[in-house]
Amino acid sequence: METKELLKKVRKIEIKTRRLSDHIFSGEYHTSFKGRGMTFSEVRPYQFGDDIRSIDWNVTARYNEAHVKVFEEERELTMMLMVDISGSESFGTQKQFKKDIVTEIAATMAFSATQNNDKIGLILFSDQIELYIPPKKGRSHVLRIIRELIEFQPKSHKTDIAQALKFLSGTQKKKAIVFVISDFMSEEYEQTLKIASKKHDITGIRVYDIREEKMPNIGMVSMLDGETGETQLINTGSKSVRINYEKYYQEKVKYFKETFSKSGAGVVNTRVDESYVTKLLGYFKSR
């Protein structure tokens, strides 16, 4: 992509997503995640009305008088955007590809975090870590993230969410607000998600296309697998083929929902032709 065309595309996404984050998401984002990061401030004598769960029993035993731990809300948080850029993200049968919606969602979340003066980091992944941008603040930093989301070309087209979560746990030592944006056509990431979600506040945002849910009956079709690069001749007229495909797809969706829920992580499902704004607002308010 030429520089002029790239800058034009970045600017277009900035205008759209910044308007959303300024007027809609910034307040909802802050309300949803404030107080999630707490730092220890001091120990003081217990006062009537204090939560007994905050009692510091070691200090209480030492002074023979009840003392409580006092925490302060961290004003600045860190947001990590983990974005799947594998081959399946280039699928789309409506007005946009999945990767276009993924870019818009990531940009909107980044600008919302900027409104809160938070740091934003980026992990682009396939079945390996394709790019890591450490958390930083500021508009220019967010614009760099958007540029990478638009033009970065992955080395691999496959997906490994577990690998990405391992990398997150290894690089982010402090608690972060994490959004994993993918179609989640992957498996065997339950254990790594469980470990990562103990430290971080994680939300999985599943972006999918309506044509992925069911295979249409359109006869013999040559299909390209976006992740393996293999082309196969598929008989979509076969009922068993369509049933097996739908079963495979639903198993992946069920695994995503159950695995994230068991780990205490949030879940958002948004279709390419739906309003991700409505879905995200509903999620924030439910928190």
Side-chain angles (χ1 to χ4, degrees), residues 15-110:
I15 291 168
K16 179 177 182 179
T17 58
R18 186 148 202 168
R19 188 169 62 244
L20 287 172
S21 63
D22 286 351
H23 300 295
I24 302 174
F25 284 109
S26 57
E28 296 295 341
Y29 161 80
H30 179 69
T31 304
S32 298
F33 296 104
K34 71 176 182 179
R36 290 286 174 174
M38 305 294 286
T39 54
F40 174 73
S41 176
E42 61 178 338
V43 173
R44 62 163 172 76
Y46 176 85
Q47 296 174 1
F48 179 76
D50 285 338
D51 189 338
I52 60 170
R53 290 175 296 182
S54 63
I55 291 177
D56 187 322
W57 294 106
N58 290 330
V59 176
T60 296
R62 193 180 309 142
Y63 291 99
N64 203 25
E65 181 187 357
H67 280 68
V68 294
K69 292 179 180 178
V70 179
F71 293 86
E72 289 181 348
E73 179 187 327
E74 287 183 354
R75 292 183 181 178
E76 295 176 4
L77 302 173
T78 295
M79 175 192 284
M80 286 303 303
L81 297 168
M82 297 180 61
V83 181
D84 179 357
I85 56 170
S86 62
S88 62
E89 296 305 317
S90 296
F91 183 82
T93 61
Q94 307 300 309
K95 292 179 181 178
Q96 291 177 297
F97 291 120
K98 284 190 288 184
K99 67 179 181 181
D100 297 328
I101 299 298
V102 165
T103 298
E104 284 190 19
I105 291 173
T108 303
M109 300 313 302

Side-chain angles (χ1 to χ4, degrees), residues 25-37 73-81 108-122 134-142 145 175-179 284:
F25 284 109
S26 57
E28 296 295 341
Y29 161 80
H30 179 69
T31 304
S32 298
F33 296 104
K34 71 176 182 179
R36 290 286 174 174
E73 179 187 327
E74 287 183 354
R75 292 183 181 178
E76 295 176 4
L77 302 173
T78 295
M79 175 192 284
M80 286 303 303
L81 297 168
T108 303
M109 300 313 302
F111 280 123
S112 297
T114 299
Q115 290 290 314
N116 201 43
N117 199 35
D118 295 341
K119 294 178 182 177
I120 305 105
L122 177 70
K136 261 178 82 173
K137 297 180 186 178
R139 175 177 174 268
S140 61
H141 180 66
V142 173
I145 286 174
K175 186 169 187 173
I177 308 300
V178 181
F179 292 96
F284 289 152

Side-chain angles (χ1 to χ4, degrees), residues 55 92 94 100 135-136 150-151 158 169 191 193 197 199 207 221 231 279 281:
I55 291 177
Q94 307 300 309
D100 297 328
K136 261 178 82 173
I150 292 171
E151 71 166 356
K158 297 180 180 180
S169 296
Q191 193 56 37
L193 177 63
S197 60
K199 183 191 293 184
V207 179
V221 180
T231 301
K279 292 296 183 76
L281 277 175

Side-chain angles (χ1 to χ4, degrees), residues 193 197 254-267:
L193 177 63
S197 60
K254 184 182 177 184
Y255 180 77
F256 159 66
K257 290 178 180 177
E258 290 183 351
T259 301
F260 269 72
S261 297
K262 279 182 197 172
S263 300
V267 170

Side-chain angles (χ1 to χ4, degrees), residues 81-91 98-103 106 122-133 145-161 164 179-186 205 207 226-228:
L81 297 168
M82 297 180 61
V83 181
D84 179 357
I85 56 170
S86 62
S88 62
E89 296 305 317
S90 296
F91 183 82
K98 284 190 288 184
K99 67 179 181 181
D100 297 328
I101 299 298
V102 165
T103 298
L122 177 70
I123 297 172
L124 297 182
F125 69 92
S126 54
D127 61 347
Q128 58 187 276
I129 302 305
E130 298 280 355
L131 177 70
Y132 171 59
I133 299 179
I145 286 174
I146 295 172
R147 284 198 302 273
E148 296 292 359
L149 285 165
I150 292 171
E151 71 166 356
F152 190 88
Q153 295 297 316
K155 297 182 185 73
S156 173
H157 294 293
K158 297 180 180 180
T159 314
D160 189 341
I161 292 171
F179 292 96
V180 187
I181 312 174
S182 171
D183 56 13
F184 292 93
M185 289 291 103
S186 183
I205 302 177
V207 179
E227 299 211 353
T228 65

Side-chain angles (χ1 to χ4, degrees), residues 80 123 132 166-174 199-200:
M80 286 303 303
I123 297 172
Y132 171 59
K166 280 180 190 174
F167 183 82
L168 171 75
S169 296
T171 54
Q172 301 305 310
K173 301 303 179 185
K174 290 185 177 179
K199 183 191 293 184
H200 306 295

